[in-house]
Amino acid sequence: MFAVPRLPSIAGFLCSLLAAVHVVRVRCASIASVYPSRGSTEGGTYLVITGSGFSMPTEANPWDSQVVYVGAKPCEIVAHYTTSTQIVCITTPSSPSLESSGSLTVSVQIFGGLGEASYASSSSAFQYHWYDTPYMYWADF
Protein backbone atom coordinates (compact mmCIF):
# COMPACT_ATOMS: atom_id res chain seq x y z
CA MET A 1 0.00 0.00 0.00
CA PHE A 2 1.36 3.42 -0.92
CA ALA A 3 1.12 6.44 1.35
CA VAL A 4 -0.33 9.52 -0.32
CA PRO A 5 1.41 12.71 0.82
CA ARG A 6 -0.84 15.41 2.26
CA LEU A 7 -0.91 18.47 0.02
CA PRO A 8 -0.66 21.93 1.60
CA SER A 9 -3.49 24.43 1.31
CA ILE A 10 -3.44 26.92 -1.56
CA ALA A 11 -2.49 29.72 0.87
CA GLY A 12 0.27 27.57 2.39
CA PHE A 13 1.57 26.67 -1.06
CA LEU A 14 1.63 30.31 -2.22
CA CYS A 15 3.27 31.38 1.02
CA SER A 16 6.03 28.81 0.55
CA LEU A 17 6.44 29.71 -3.13
CA LEU A 18 6.76 33.45 -2.48
CA ALA A 19 9.27 32.80 0.28
CA ALA A 20 11.30 30.49 -1.98
CA VAL A 21 11.60 32.93 -4.88
CA HIS A 22 12.20 35.93 -2.59
CA VAL A 23 9.46 38.05 -4.18
CA VAL A 24 8.58 39.44 -0.76
CA ARG A 25 9.52 38.55 2.78
CA VAL A 26 6.75 36.23 3.86
CA ARG A 27 5.44 35.46 7.31
CA CYS A 28 3.05 32.56 6.80
CA ALA A 29 -0.14 33.17 8.75
CA SER A 30 -2.85 30.59 9.32
CA ILE A 31 -6.29 30.57 10.96
CA ALA A 32 -7.13 27.65 13.24
CA SER A 33 -10.56 28.80 14.49
CA VAL A 34 -13.08 31.65 14.48
CA TYR A 35 -15.50 32.15 17.41
CA PRO A 36 -18.43 32.78 17.44
CA SER A 37 -19.73 31.46 14.12
CA ARG A 38 -22.62 33.93 13.88
CA GLY A 39 -23.55 37.41 15.05
CA SER A 40 -25.82 40.43 14.83
CA THR A 41 -26.71 42.06 11.51
CA GLU A 42 -26.06 45.40 13.24
CA GLY A 43 -22.42 44.50 13.93
CA GLY A 44 -20.75 44.75 17.31
CA THR A 45 -19.94 41.03 17.61
CA TYR A 46 -16.49 40.38 19.07
CA LEU A 47 -14.77 37.77 16.87
CA VAL A 48 -11.87 35.79 18.30
CA ILE A 49 -9.59 34.45 15.56
CA THR A 50 -6.93 32.00 16.71
CA GLY A 51 -4.03 30.80 14.63
CA SER A 52 -0.40 31.72 14.02
CA GLY A 53 1.75 34.26 12.20
CA PHE A 54 -0.38 37.29 13.07
CA SER A 55 1.19 40.71 13.44
CA MET A 56 1.69 42.14 16.91
CA PRO A 57 0.23 45.64 17.14
CA THR A 58 2.99 48.13 17.85
CA GLU A 59 3.40 51.85 17.77
CA ALA A 60 7.06 51.48 16.74
CA ASN A 61 6.52 50.76 13.06
CA PRO A 62 3.70 52.81 11.49
CA TRP A 63 4.08 51.01 8.12
CA ASP A 64 2.95 47.64 9.45
CA SER A 65 -0.74 46.90 9.03
CA GLN A 66 -3.08 44.00 9.62
CA VAL A 67 -6.64 43.92 8.32
CA VAL A 68 -9.47 41.46 9.01
CA TYR A 69 -12.46 41.02 6.71
CA VAL A 70 -15.73 39.15 7.22
CA GLY A 71 -16.76 38.57 3.64
CA ALA A 72 -16.08 42.00 2.13
CA LYS A 73 -16.79 43.93 5.35
CA PRO A 74 -13.87 45.12 7.50
CA CYS A 75 -13.70 43.94 11.10
CA GLU A 76 -12.21 46.50 13.53
CA ILE A 77 -9.20 45.00 15.34
CA VAL A 78 -8.99 45.48 19.11
CA ALA A 79 -5.22 45.94 19.54
CA HIS A 80 -5.26 45.39 23.31
CA TYR A 81 -6.38 41.75 22.90
CA THR A 82 -4.36 40.94 19.77
CA THR A 83 -1.23 38.75 19.87
CA SER A 84 0.78 36.73 17.36
CA THR A 85 -1.65 33.80 17.90
CA GLN A 86 -4.97 35.62 18.43
CA ILE A 87 -6.86 38.51 16.88
CA VAL A 88 -9.95 40.03 18.44
CA CYS A 89 -12.06 42.25 16.21
CA ILE A 90 -15.51 43.85 16.21
CA THR A 91 -17.79 43.20 13.24
CA THR A 92 -19.33 46.07 11.31
CA PRO A 93 -23.01 46.13 10.27
CA SER A 94 -23.93 43.81 7.42
CA SER A 95 -25.78 44.57 4.24
CA PRO A 96 -28.95 42.72 3.17
CA SER A 97 -26.95 40.77 0.57
CA LEU A 98 -24.59 39.44 3.27
CA GLU A 99 -27.50 38.35 5.46
CA SER A 100 -28.86 36.09 2.74
CA SER A 101 -25.49 34.81 1.50
CA GLY A 102 -24.98 32.25 4.27
CA SER A 103 -21.63 31.71 5.97
CA LEU A 104 -18.83 34.08 5.00
CA THR A 105 -15.07 33.77 4.75
CA VAL A 106 -13.01 35.42 7.48
CA SER A 107 -9.65 36.60 6.15
CA VAL A 108 -6.55 38.24 7.63
CA GLN A 109 -4.20 40.32 5.48
CA ILE A 110 -0.84 41.36 6.90
CA PHE A 111 1.45 43.92 5.31
CA GLY A 112 4.86 44.80 6.71
CA GLY A 113 6.68 48.02 6.00
CA LEU A 114 9.69 46.27 4.48
CA GLY A 115 7.96 44.14 1.86
CA GLU A 116 6.47 41.52 4.18
CA ALA A 117 3.09 40.13 3.22
CA SER A 118 0.83 37.35 4.46
CA TYR A 119 -2.73 36.18 3.96
CA ALA A 120 -4.86 33.63 5.78
CA SER A 121 -8.54 32.75 5.46
CA SER A 122 -11.15 30.45 6.89
CA SER A 123 -14.13 29.75 4.63
CA SER A 124 -17.69 29.49 5.97
CA ALA A 125 -16.52 30.85 9.31
CA PHE A 126 -19.11 33.53 10.21
CA GLN A 127 -22.72 34.33 9.45
CA TYR A 128 -24.69 37.52 10.03
CA HIS A 129 -28.20 36.68 11.22
CA TRP A 130 -31.21 38.72 12.30
CA TYR A 131 -32.03 36.46 15.28
CA ASP A 132 -28.75 37.46 16.92
CA THR A 133 -29.81 41.11 16.69
CA PRO A 134 -31.67 42.62 19.66
CA TYR A 135 -34.73 44.69 18.79
CA MET A 136 -36.76 47.02 20.97
CA TYR A 137 -40.44 47.46 20.25
CA TRP A 138 -42.59 50.28 21.58
CA ALA A 139 -46.19 49.57 22.39
CA ASP A 140 -48.83 52.23 23.04
CA PHE A 141 -51.65 51.11 25.31
Side-chain angles (χ1 to χ4, degrees), residues 36 60 68 82-83 93 108-109 122:
V68 175
T82 298
T83 66
V108 178
Q109 298 175 6
S122 179

Side-chain angles (χ1 to χ4, degrees), residues 55-67 110-115:
S55 180
M56 292 286 294
T58 63
E59 298 293 325
N61 191 347
W63 296 282
D64 288 348
S65 71
Q66 181 167 253
V67 183
I110 303 166
F111 303 100
L114 300 173

Side-chain angles (χ1 to χ4, degrees), residues 9-99:
S9 67
I10 298 289
F13 174 76
L14 289 175
C15 189
S16 300
L17 179 66
L18 288 173
V21 297
H22 304 289
V23 172
V24 291
R25 278 183 32 202
V26 178
R27 173 185 19 209
C28 297
S30 67
I31 296 175
S33 67
V34 176
Y35 181 82
S37 60
R38 66 176 201 232
S40 170
T41 58
E42 295 300 314
T45 302
Y46 282 74
L47 279 185
V48 179
I49 303 164
T50 58
S52 63
F54 302 139
S55 180
M56 292 286 294
T58 63
E59 298 293 325
N61 191 347
W63 296 282
D64 288 348
S65 71
Q66 181 167 253
V67 183
V68 175
Y69 289 97
V70 176
K73 293 285 191 174
C75 191
E76 183 182 335
I77 295 175
V78 182
H80 181 74
Y81 297 114
T82 298
T83 66
S84 63
T85 60
Q86 173 181 287
I87 297 173
V88 176
C89 67
I90 304 169
T91 60
T92 54
S94 72
S95 60
S97 62
L98 287 179
E99 293 170 36

